[in-house]
Amino acid sequence: MKGTKVCMITLTLSGLLIAGFSLSSVMAEKKPKYVWKWATLGQDTIKMVSILTVDFTQDVLKVTNGDVKCVWYLGGTMGDEEDYVAKMRIGQLHGSLISGTSNSSICPGISVMELPFLFDSYKEAGYVQKRMRPTIDKIAEKNGFKVLTTAHLDEHFYSSKFPLRSPDDFKKSKILTWHGSLEVEVLKALGASPIPVNVPEVVPSMRSGVVDGAISPSVWWLAAQLYTITKYINPLPIRYDQGLFVVVMKAWKKLPLNQRKAIEKLGNEVGKKLVKEMYKIGEDGKRAMINYGCKEIKMTPEEIALFKNRTKPVWDKMVGKAYSREMLNEVLSFRKQYRAQKR
C-alpha cells in the first residue's frame, strides 16, 4: 500500500517537474555588453523557476539584440535570500526572485500584504497586489531596485506531531519561524513559542526534531521532501507570501530606454505566468502530499473564526514596526474595492 502511495506521488510530481533545460544559442555568436547575474532558492526542475531561467533569459537576449545575457545561480548556491540582497547591493548579483523578510529590505512595508487571513483567495490577493504596484515600485526604486514583476503564493501549516487546529496544539508544538517579526507575532497570537531558524537549517531542524511545525508554501515543502516526515497538513491559507522579481537600478539604468521598455513588458508577462504556475503547483502539491499519506486537517467555521480573532490584533500591533498606517489603509481600501465588485 505504501509503495502504491509513493508511486502516486511520483506520478503527481512528474506533472510538477520538468527536465533540465539548456539555453538556446540565440545571439550566441555575439558577445553581450552586459552579463546579469541572478539568484533564486528554486531549482530549474520546477517549472515556475524555468519560466525565469529559460523563457525570460532567452527573451531578454532577444529583445536586447544580444546585449544582455542572464546567468542564474539556483538552489541556494549564492546563499539565502538575505545574502542575495546584500550581494545585489555590492554588485556581485544584479537581480533575484525573492520573498519573505528579504522583500522588506527592498520594499519596506511590503509585509503588510502578508497579514494573517488578509485575503480570502488567490484572485483577491492578486487584485490588491496589482493595484499596490505603484507604491511598491516607488519604494523599491528609492532603495535602488527596479521591480520587474510581483507574484504571490499561499502558505499553510505543516506539522510532524500535532494537527495545529487549536491554540492548545500550538502551545504543545515547537514551531519554527524564519519569516521575520510579523510571523513571530502571528505565531505567538496563536499560542506558540516560535523558534528562529534560518532557511538553510529548516530541513535538518525538522528532520532532527529540533522543531516539529512550520508555515510554508506547499511547493517549497514538497521540493524539500519534508512531506516524508509530515503527519498533518492544515491547508488553511494563513497568508499570501509576496514575491518580488527585481534588478538593481545601477544595471537597469545602463540600458537604453527602448530595451528597458521591452524588458518591462517581459516582466509583466512573466508575472502572469508565475502566478498561474504557482497556483497550479500549490494545489497539485498539496494534493500529492495528501495522497502520499499526510493527513489533511479540515477546520470548522468556529475554529477558523478563532484563528482570525486571535491574529487580527497583530494587524494594528505591527503598524509603525513593519509597515505604516497609510500602507495598511491603502491595502484595505483595495480589498474593499474587490469585495464590493464581487458582491
Side-chain angles (χ1 to χ4, degrees), residues 280-298:
K280 182 180 185 302
I281 288 179
E283 293 303 303
D284 289 352
K286 279 181 287 185
R287 189 52 46 195
M289 288 186 279
I290 291 166
N291 286 342
Y292 176 78
C294 302
K295 185 175 180 180
E296 179 182 8
I297 302 303
K298 297 180 179 179

Side-chain angles (χ1 to χ4, degrees), residues 30-319:
K30 179 180 176 179
K31 185 177 179 180
K33 289 182 181 178
Y34 308 106
V35 176
W36 282 0
K37 297 177 181 178
W38 302 78
T40 184
L41 289 174
Q43 298 282 2
D44 64 357
T45 49
I46 301 174
K47 187 176 178 181
M48 73 180 200
V49 176
S50 75
I51 289 170
L52 303 174
T53 60
V54 180
D55 300 350
F56 177 78
T57 296
Q58 292 179 347
D59 288 342
V60 166
L61 198 66
K62 191 179 299 183
V63 300
T64 62
N65 195 31
D67 286 346
V68 179
K69 179 181 179 181
C70 298
V71 176
W72 284 86
Y73 298 89
L74 307 177
T77 54
M78 278 283 191
D80 60 23
E81 292 183 339
E82 290 183 2
D83 295 322
Y84 300 165
V85 175
K87 289 177 180 180
M88 284 190 285
R89 292 193 186 281
I90 62 175
Q92 289 183 0
L93 286 174
H94 301 91
S96 179
L97 172 64
I98 60 174
S99 60
T101 55
S102 302
N103 278 346
S104 295
S105 301
I106 291 172
C107 180
I110 196 172
S111 58
V112 72
M113 301 279 288
E114 298 175 346
L115 288 171
F117 307 109
L118 177 63
F119 302 121
D120 290 338
S121 68
Y122 242 91
K123 287 185 177 180
E124 184 173 76
Y127 179 94
V128 175
Q129 189 182 62
K130 183 178 179 180
R131 281 148 186 82
M132 285 294 292
R133 270 299 295 274
T135 298
I136 292 170
D137 290 354
K138 185 178 179 180
I139 297 173
E141 286 184 22
K142 194 178 293 185
N143 283 281
F145 296 90
K146 170 67 179 177
V147 177
L148 295 179
T149 195
T150 57
H152 54 282
L153 191 63
D154 56 340
E155 298 193 333
H156 320 277
F157 294 114
Y158 295 85
S159 175
S160 60
K161 283 192 175 182
F162 304 102
L164 299 180
R165 71 185 308 157
S166 72
D168 285 341
D169 288 333
F170 282 88
K171 286 178 183 177
K172 293 182 290 185
S173 299
K174 294 180 289 186
I175 309 290
L176 70 86
T177 178
W178 64 273
H179 207 80
S181 58
L182 177 58
E183 180 177 78
V184 170
E185 293 301 326
V186 170
L187 290 171
K188 285 181 178 179
L190 290 171
S193 298
I195 301 170
V197 176
N198 291 329
V199 174
E201 300 303 316
V202 169
V203 174
S205 295
M206 282 293 300
R207 291 194 177 280
S208 66
V210 171
V211 292
D212 54 48
I215 299 173
S216 173
S218 59
V219 61
W220 191 90
W221 206 257
L222 195 65
Q225 299 186 18
L226 285 171
Y227 62 88
T228 58
I229 62 164
T230 299
K231 189 172 182 180
Y232 299 105
I233 297 175
N234 185 331
L236 188 68
I238 180 70
R239 67 173 176 233
Y240 284 81
D241 190 16
Q242 301 298 297
L244 293 180
F245 184 40
V246 299
V247 61
V248 293
M249 288 298 293
K250 286 182 180 178
W252 180 251
K253 287 183 176 179
K254 289 180 180 179
L255 301 184
L257 184 60
N258 66 314
Q259 291 187 358
R260 279 184 271 165
K261 287 184 176 180
I263 295 175
E264 276 189 298
K265 185 178 179 181
L266 290 178
N268 290 329
E269 294 170 358
V270 162
K272 293 175 184 177
K273 290 179 182 178
L274 280 177
V275 170
K276 183 178 180 180
E277 191 60 30
M278 283 176 171
Y279 177 78
K280 182 180 185 302
I281 288 179
E283 293 303 303
D284 289 352
K286 279 181 287 185
R287 189 52 46 195
M289 288 186 279
I290 291 166
N291 286 342
Y292 176 78
C294 302
K295 185 175 180 180
E296 179 182 8
I297 302 303
K298 297 180 179 179
M299 297 180 70
T300 66
E302 292 75 20
E303 288 171 332
I304 295 173
L306 177 61
F307 272 37
K308 290 183 176 181
N309 291 335
R310 282 217 170 204
T311 57
K312 184 65 181 291
V314 174
W315 293 21
D316 286 326
K317 184 176 182 178
M318 297 305 290
V319 169

